[in-house]
Amino acid sequence: MPFQTPVYNSLKNQIDSNVTIVAVSKTKPIADLQEAYETGVRDFGENYAQELVDKYEALPKNIHWHFIGHLQSNKVKYIAPFVHLIHGVDSEKLLIEINKQGQKINKKISCLLQIYIAKEETKFGLNEDELESIIQKLPQLPFVQISGMMGMASFSSDSQIVKSEFDTLKQLFDKYSTSSTENFNLETLSMGMSGDYKMAISCGSNMIRIGSMLFGEREYKK
Ligand SMILES: *Cc1c(COP(=O)(O)O)cnc(C)c1O
């Protein structure tokens, strides 16, 4: 299925202009991204470092590339020079590596801290204690810029569960928004995907990550 231009346009019309749509293009061929680009998409989200590098090299340079997957420390160096925002930062170890790679190229790298909100074992993220401990370390990590938080709700058809998880993240976001420092300044709340973006926006999200709705279902390599 090619990029769904009408769906993208109606999504844009539906939502407030302060909400950024990240078009999640993982596993999709470059031709599909090119089509999206021609429609006006400038924010793309990818989950795999090598795939992100390949697409970055093939496509126009004014794209904002979002890394939304679970980033391994040894892959940071490949994406550091051009990545716009790393969404899924969930450990101090990863943050230390991002800082190190940022320092090498003299670039402050913007990151979102991923917060654990789902009642599912499979989802990554920090709890509030871990969040506190990372915030304490930030003065020593001047090449990372924490500009927001990211979370994934449970994969559930029970909208009350999803709502309460998004509400939890929004409350945490508001709580820590008041305590800005040199490299900790919460502006972006990345929550919501194809199945739950409406709920996410009603709970205060200002960045949604939309994949299958725009590009069709994904087929995974075995
Ligand atoms: C794949 C992915 C998405 C997009 O999911 P869809 O349900 O296809 O919209 C959003 N966020 C993350 C972190 C993802 O890995």
Side-chain angles (χ1 to χ4, degrees):
M1 193 163 87
F3 181 71
Q4 302 293 296
T5 298
V7 175
Y8 176 73
N9 288 336
S10 81
L11 179 61
K12 276 213 85 132
N13 288 334
Q14 231 178 79
I15 64 177
D16 211 84
S17 61
N18 75 318
V19 179
T20 301
I21 303 168
V22 177
V24 176
S25 47
K26 61 185 178 214
T27 79
K28 297 295 171 182
I30 283 164
D32 290 8
L33 282 75
Q34 183 71 44
E35 230 180 301
Y37 180 84
E38 280 155 21
T39 299
V41 176
R42 292 295 177 270
D43 290 88
F44 288 90
E46 291 283 338
N47 289 48
Y48 309 101
Q50 186 57 52
E51 188 178 341
L52 175 53
V53 170
D54 292 345
K55 287 174 172 172
Y56 163 74
E57 286 172 354
L59 287 158
K61 293 297 169 281
N62 63 343
I63 288 174
H64 287 164
W65 291 103
H66 297 249
F67 191 90
I68 65 168
H70 192 247
L71 184 57
Q72 289 169 282
S73 296
N74 63 354
K75 301 285 169 61
V76 175
K77 57 177 174 287
Y78 302 115
I79 67 167
F82 66 87
V83 74
H84 175 70
L85 183 62
I86 301 175
H87 287 227
V89 176
D90 67 351
S91 76
E92 192 183 318
K93 176 174 176 256
L94 178 57
L95 217 47
I96 289 169
E97 179 62 18
I98 294 170
N99 183 70
K100 184 178 148 192
Q101 297 302 330
Q103 182 160 26
K104 271 195 196 164
I105 56 175
N106 196 29
K107 175 187 172 190
K108 214 167 186 175
I109 299 176
S110 293
C111 301
L112 307 181
L113 295 175
Q114 182 168 357
I115 309 298
Y116 181 84
I117 51 171
K119 312 279 171 287
E120 289 170 8
E121 279 302 321
T122 53
K123 300 257 158 65
F124 296 102
L126 304 162
N127 63 34
E128 196 169 350
D129 288 345
E130 293 164 333
L131 172 66
E132 281 286 351
S133 134
I134 280 188
I135 291 172
Q136 300 309 315
K137 302 283 162 36
L138 288 176
Q140 296 144 50
L141 303 170
F143 288 90
V144 300
Q145 180 69 41
I146 303 298
S147 60
M149 289 176 174
M150 180 266 211
M152 290 171 85
S154 297
F155 186 75
S156 167
S157 55
D158 184 338
S159 61
Q160 284 315 304
I161 292 178
V162 174
K163 180 178 189 308
S164 82
E165 293 173 357
F166 284 151
D167 282 340
T168 301
L169 181 53
K170 174 67 160 93
Q171 279 160 20
L172 207 60
F173 180 81
D174 287 344
K175 175 175 168 187
Y176 286 91
S177 290
T178 56
S179 49
S180 298
T181 64
E182 187 72 27
N183 60 346
F184 182 84
N185 187 8
L186 301 185
E187 291 168 349
T188 301
L189 181 55
S190 168
M191 60 183 196
M193 322 195 340
S194 293
D196 56 19
Y197 74 90
K198 281 184 190 153
M199 179 67 86
I201 291 172
S202 77
C203 294
S205 168
N206 60 16
M207 186 172 278
I208 54 177
R209 309 175 309 271
I210 308 293
S212 47
M213 198 177 128
L214 296 176
F215 291 97
E217 294 301 325
R218 291 172 291 273
E219 280 178 45
Y220 284 97
K221 301 163 207 119
K222 297 275 152 47

